[in-house]
């Protein structure tokens, strides 16, 4: 059989082929660069947020009034943490058993728990002796235009250095927010996830009640 | 000719669309391995319909479990009842013995001195870190250890002043035989809480025994002095960490599981770096 090559059609076809193969690859490369850039932005944004928290923690008026300090820190926490994602990761597969109302309730109490757990690490006696070193950032693979990044820091308190990794997420229309904290290699979300996975007999309502009793 | 075009079109579409698919993630793929749970998840019970956004969030969320090789599998705990008993024993020992002694020690001994003692013991444990760095193939770190040991013992007066880490920008991460075995790919085995010594695993306990041969304190005569020095080392270490255990208990819903998970996560991160 003899083919007669139709030159213009072949040319058009081959160039289309080329564009279709190259385009996704270049899109991928652009997204990677984008992620790196955003990771750098995340690090400087985190620095700003943590400095703001340190100002609150060092405020003598608030140190004298613990309930007020707790409330101020909690409000700040709502601003810097993405508690929805944090709760999802903390509950793991159990999250699917929760209705939207239960999820909202869980989120409320969980945010209080994290607030009460994390901020005291920055507060305490020698609060003026703390400094935070920002070591590096590492972007995670972006998904559906949601960017995430790990920021590696070190909390220096007097002589001890504690490595803390903040995992941050950037969703549309929101600034960067923290959704997991790894202290000395221990992820808070994973820790709670294992605790919850061991409590097989508890229903969502039981979990919420247990959490509520814990924070109040 | 038509067959050729058809084949090329199919090939082209495969090439075009596969990287995009890998990029956005397959929304159907949910890992069935639930961390630490034997039963399968019961069907979702809702009184309000889950929104589209919720469902896609779930997919992203669970896909995260598999990313970056983060191992969310829990450790085997066949000795649960023994471990729980040990957990309670250690808890009591901490609050009624170790913590009061450490608090008294902290009140009496100035921070500079405590730091000096901590540096001294850190310097003394050089053989363990050195051997394990070699065994893990971390030659450059082994060289660092030798250099730091020499500097700290001389300039740092028997190790009391950590000259190397402060002024020479050296970093001496902790290495032990348990980590070495972990680097070799040996799994945890099972969780084991040692009385007084705290959480461990089968592998890490074997590691402790192995390391004791390289621990200079084990060769100190008479045995009272050896135990005395070990005790000093432990109390000194705890004096910097008073409050950590209480914070863990305060933050957790189930302190036993929280401690177990924290220990395992911490060990995994140490093995990685």
């Amino acid at each position: 059989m003899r083919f007669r090559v139709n030159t213009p059609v072949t040319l058009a076809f081959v160039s289309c082929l080329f564009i279709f193969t190259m385009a996704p690859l270049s899109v991928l490369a652009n997204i990677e660069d984008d992620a790196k850039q955003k990771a750098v932005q995340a690090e400087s944004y985190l620095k700003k947020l943590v400095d703001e928290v340190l100002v609150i923690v060092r405020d003598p008026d608030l140190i004298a009034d613990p309930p007020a300090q707790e409330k101020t820190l909690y409000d700040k926490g709502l601003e810097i943490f993405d508690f929805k994602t944090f709760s999802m990761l903390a509950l793991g597969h159990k999250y699917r058993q929760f209705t939207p109302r239960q999820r909202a309730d869980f989120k409320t109490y969980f945010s209080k728990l994290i607030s009460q757990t994390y901020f005291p690490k920055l507060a305490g006696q020698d609060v003026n002796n703390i400094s935070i070193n920002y070591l590096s950032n590492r972007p995670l693979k972006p998904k559906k235009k949601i960017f995430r990044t790990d920021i590696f820091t070190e909390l220096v308190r007097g002589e001890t250095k504690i490595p803390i990794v903040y995992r941050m997420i950037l969703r549309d229309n929101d600034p960067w927010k923290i959704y997991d904290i790894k202290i000395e290699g221990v992820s808070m979300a994973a820790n709670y996830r294992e605790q919850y996975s061991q409590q097989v007999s508890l229903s969502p309502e039981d979990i919420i009640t247990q959490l509520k009793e814990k924070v109040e | 000719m038509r067959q050729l075009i058809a084949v090329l079109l199919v090939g082209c579409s495969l090439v075009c669309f596969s990287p995009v698919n890998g990029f956005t993630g397959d929304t159907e793929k949910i890992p069935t391995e639930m961390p630490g749970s034997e039963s399968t998840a019961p069907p979702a019970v809702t009184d309000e319909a889950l929104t589209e956004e919720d469902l896609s969030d779930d997919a992203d969320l669970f896909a995260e479990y598999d990313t970056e090789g983060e191992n969310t599998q829990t450790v085997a705990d066949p000795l649960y009842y023994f471990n729980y008993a040990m957990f309670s024993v250690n808890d009591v020992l901490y609050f009624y013995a170790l913590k009061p002694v450490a608090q008294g020690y902290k009140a009496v001994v100035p921070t500079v001195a405590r730091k000096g003692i901590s540096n001294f013991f850190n310097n003394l444990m050089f053989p363990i870190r050195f051997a394990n760095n070699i065994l893990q193939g971390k030659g450059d770190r082994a060289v660092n250890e030798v250099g730091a040991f020499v500097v700290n013992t001389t300039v740092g007066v028997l190790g009391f002043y950590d000259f190397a880490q402060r002024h020479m920008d050296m970093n001496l991460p902790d290495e032990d035989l348990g980590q070495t075995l972990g680097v070799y790919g040996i799994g945890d085995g099972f969780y084991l809480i040692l009385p007084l010594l705290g959480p461990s695993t089968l592998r890490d306990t074997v590691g402790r025994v192995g390391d004791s041969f390289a621990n200079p304190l084990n060769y100190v005569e008479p045995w009272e002095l050896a135990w005395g020095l070990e005790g000093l080392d432990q109390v000194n270490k705890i004096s910097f960490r008073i409050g950590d255990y209480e914070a863990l208990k305060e933050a957790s819903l189930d302190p036993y599981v929280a401690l177990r998970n924290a220990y395992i996560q911490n060990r995994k991160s140490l093995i990685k770096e």
Side-chain angles (χ1 to χ4, degrees):
Chain A
M1 217 155 113
R2 272 181 48 182
F3 297 105
R4 205 174 77 85
V5 177
N6 188 339
T7 318
V9 171
T10 316
L11 199 61
F13 185 77
V14 169
S15 41
C16 279
L17 193 71
F18 191 75
I19 293 169
F20 281 130
T21 49
M22 289 298 114
L25 294 176
S26 67
V27 163
L28 279 178
N30 278 341
I31 303 246
E32 255 184 44
D33 288 337
D34 214 8
K36 286 206 183 88
Q37 257 186 339
K38 290 210 154 63
V40 173
Q41 287 170 3
E43 189 174 330
S44 51
Y45 189 68
L46 177 70
K47 188 164 190 311
K48 174 171 101 69
L49 290 177
V50 173
D51 286 343
E52 284 167 13
V53 171
L54 285 176
V55 163
I56 298 175
V57 160
R58 287 172 177 158
D59 185 348
D61 295 329
L62 289 175
I63 293 179
D65 188 2
Q69 191 192 58
E70 197 181 313
K71 173 97 183 45
T72 318
L73 284 173
Y74 176 68
D75 291 336
K76 193 75 191 162
L78 290 177
E79 186 193 317
I80 69 182
F81 287 104
D82 176 356
F83 281 121
K84 179 161 179 262
T85 313
F86 209 156
S87 327
M88 283 206 292
L89 280 184
L91 281 173
H93 283 256
K94 277 200 146 76
Y95 191 70
R96 311 190 115 203
Q97 299 170 27
F98 281 59
T99 68
R101 185 194 57 78
Q102 287 170 337
R103 289 175 187 188
D105 285 343
F106 182 82
K107 182 180 134 185
T108 311
Y109 299 121
F110 189 70
S111 59
K112 288 214 178 104
L113 179 67
I114 296 297
S115 220
Q116 290 169 4
T117 310
Y118 169 70
F119 288 121
K121 297 208 188 302
L122 296 179
Q125 290 172 320
D126 42 354
V127 81
N128 287 310
N129 213 3
I130 315 174
S131 71
I132 304 192
N133 299 334
Y134 295 84
L135 304 174
S136 64
N137 62 63
R138 183 185 63 159
L140 303 171
K141 196 168 159 201
K143 288 180 160 69
K144 289 190 200 157
K145 294 195 187 148
I146 294 175
F147 292 92
R148 299 171 306 145
T149 184
D150 276 341
I151 315 276
F152 295 85
T153 71
E154 221 170 43
L155 176 67
V156 182
R157 178 180 234 121
E159 295 292 345
T160 42
K161 284 189 189 173
I162 303 175
I164 301 184
V165 181
Y166 295 95
R167 189 158 270 196
M168 304 187 77
I169 188 167
L170 182 72
R171 292 187 192 266
D172 293 332
N173 306 325
D174 279 334
W176 281 99
K177 288 189 182 217
I178 304 171
Y179 76 96
D180 193 9
I181 307 176
K182 260 196 192 182
I183 303 179
E184 289 180 285
V186 181
S187 144
M188 287 176 93
N191 194 271
Y192 283 112
R193 202 157 61 222
E194 179 162 342
Q195 290 180 58
Y196 280 124
S197 75
Q198 291 297 313
Q199 300 180 327
V200 244
S201 56
L202 292 186
S203 73
E205 283 303 330
D206 293 331
I207 289 179
I208 293 172
T209 314
Q210 180 194 59
L211 195 54
K212 182 173 176 194
E213 277 163 20
K214 185 143 192 89
V215 295
E216 282 167 8
Chain B
M1 186 61 183
R2 255 182 256 148
Q3 289 117 329
L4 192 60
I5 294 176
V7 166
L8 280 170
L9 273 175
V10 169
C12 172
S13 56
L14 279 174
V15 170
C16 294
F17 293 117
S18 58
V20 176
N21 258 340
F23 180 75
T24 54
D26 192 346
T27 51
E28 297 308 333
K29 188 175 81 159
I30 309 282
T32 49
E33 291 248 52
M34 274 183 65
S37 168
E38 289 87 356
S39 59
T40 50
V45 174
T46 60
D47 43 35
E48 298 120 306
L50 288 172
T51 65
E52 199 45 52
E53 189 214 318
D54 282 350
L55 291 171
S56 74
D57 275 348
D58 284 359
D60 283 344
L61 159 69
F62 294 122
E64 164 143 351
Y65 286 359
D66 292 337
T67 58
E68 303 101 42
E70 269 177 27
N71 200 337
T72 54
Q73 288 162 337
T74 188
V75 69
D77 197 1
L79 304 179
Y80 176 79
Y81 292 104
F82 171 78
N83 284 335
Y84 201 87
M86 285 299 110
F87 174 78
S88 312
V89 165
N90 285 342
D91 193 74
V92 168
L93 279 174
Y94 175 78
F95 283 108
Y96 291 99
L98 196 50
K99 183 175 170 184
V101 170
Q103 279 174 323
Y105 173 81
K106 184 177 177 181
V108 166
V109 180
T111 308
V112 177
R114 286 189 294 131
K115 189 63 189 160
I117 292 173
S118 150
N119 291 339
F120 168 76
F121 282 110
N122 205 36
N123 198 42
L124 205 57
M125 295 303 142
F126 153 77
I128 295 178
R129 287 195 306 271
F130 177 73
N132 283 305
N133 273 321
I134 297 280
L135 288 173
Q136 290 180 38
K138 294 174 180 165
D140 44 350
R141 291 204 191 170
V143 168
N144 261 358
E145 285 287 341
V146 176
F149 181 70
V150 170
V151 168
N152 281 337
T153 312
T154 52
V155 178
V157 188
L158 285 187
F160 279 94
Y161 188 65
D162 197 347
F163 191 82
Q165 291 201 76
R166 272 170 169 253
H167 299 285
M168 292 173 62
D169 215 16
M170 282 184 165
N171 203 17
L172 305 174
D174 257 339
E175 293 289 348
D176 55 62
L177 192 57
Q179 285 181 54
T180 304
L181 294 174
V183 167
Y184 285 176
I186 296 175
D188 290 314
F190 53 79
Y191 186 59
L192 178 65
I193 299 189
L194 303 171
L196 211 64
L197 297 172
S200 182
T201 62
L202 177 63
R203 179 197 67 213
D204 290 343
T205 304
V206 170
R208 268 182 190 272
V209 173
D211 278 336
S212 66
F213 291 105
N215 185 347
L217 287 180
N218 275 338
Y219 298 98
V220 167
E221 298 284 333
W223 69 266
E224 290 93 338
L225 185 58
W227 279 77
L229 287 172
E230 275 284 1
L232 176 64
D233 187 16
Q234 289 306 320
V235 170
N236 195 59
K237 278 202 177 96
I238 300 283
S239 73
F240 286 105
R241 288 192 161 267
I242 297 174
D244 280 7
Y245 180 59
E246 293 87 326
L248 178 99
K249 287 187 81 178
E250 188 60 37
S252 66
L253 307 150
D254 180 346
Y256 173 84
V257 177
L259 180 65
R260 181 179 79 192
N261 176 269
Y263 177 76
I264 297 294
Q265 282 200 60
N266 179 254
R267 293 298 290 176
K268 283 209 165 80
S269 83
L270 287 175
I271 289 169
K272 240 196 227 174
E273 59 93 10

